[in-house]
Amino acid sequence: MNNSDLVDQIAAGNGITKADAKKIVDSVFAAIADAAAKGDEIALNGFGKFKVKHTAAREGRSPATGETIKIAASKKLTFSAAKAIKDKLNG
């Protein structure tokens, strides 16, 4: 499923136009991204949690040359599914 499929499904399921559904989908994703950028945890009851994880700087190896390289510290957005979603996936 991609964004347009999600918009179509929301529009059909709620009797709204695709344009209105697109605004809703875009605003939900923007709110999640803004909260994550601040370092906040986003908890959606019955769905799951988005968390920002920090990875420290470290040394790695270039697969092409075998040379040691420095990998910069970074932040990653992770998702943990709620029990209800896990149960739905596993029957």
Side-chain angles (χ1 to χ4, degrees), residues 10-27:
I10 290 172
N14 294 290
I16 60 176
T17 65
K18 287 184 183 181
D20 288 342
K22 183 172 178 15
K23 288 178 190 175
I24 292 168
V25 169
D26 289 345
S27 66

Side-chain angles (χ1 to χ4, degrees), residues 10-85:
I10 290 172
N14 294 290
I16 60 176
T17 65
K18 287 184 183 181
D20 288 342
K22 183 172 178 15
K23 288 178 190 175
I24 292 168
V25 169
D26 289 345
S27 66
V28 168
F29 290 148
I32 290 171
D34 290 345
K38 292 179 200 171
D40 295 341
E41 179 180 290
I42 302 94
L44 305 172
N45 289 338
F47 186 70
K49 290 182 183 180
F50 292 93
K51 296 179 187 178
V52 178
K53 290 197 176 181
H54 303 274
T55 57
R58 63 192 192 280
E59 286 189 356
R61 222 169 263 292
S62 169
T65 63
E67 179 182 345
T68 300
I69 57 173
K70 290 184 180 181
I71 301 171
S74 64
K75 296 177 186 175
K76 297 183 179 10
L77 187 63
T78 62
F79 176 75
S80 298
K83 184 179 183 318
I85 297 294

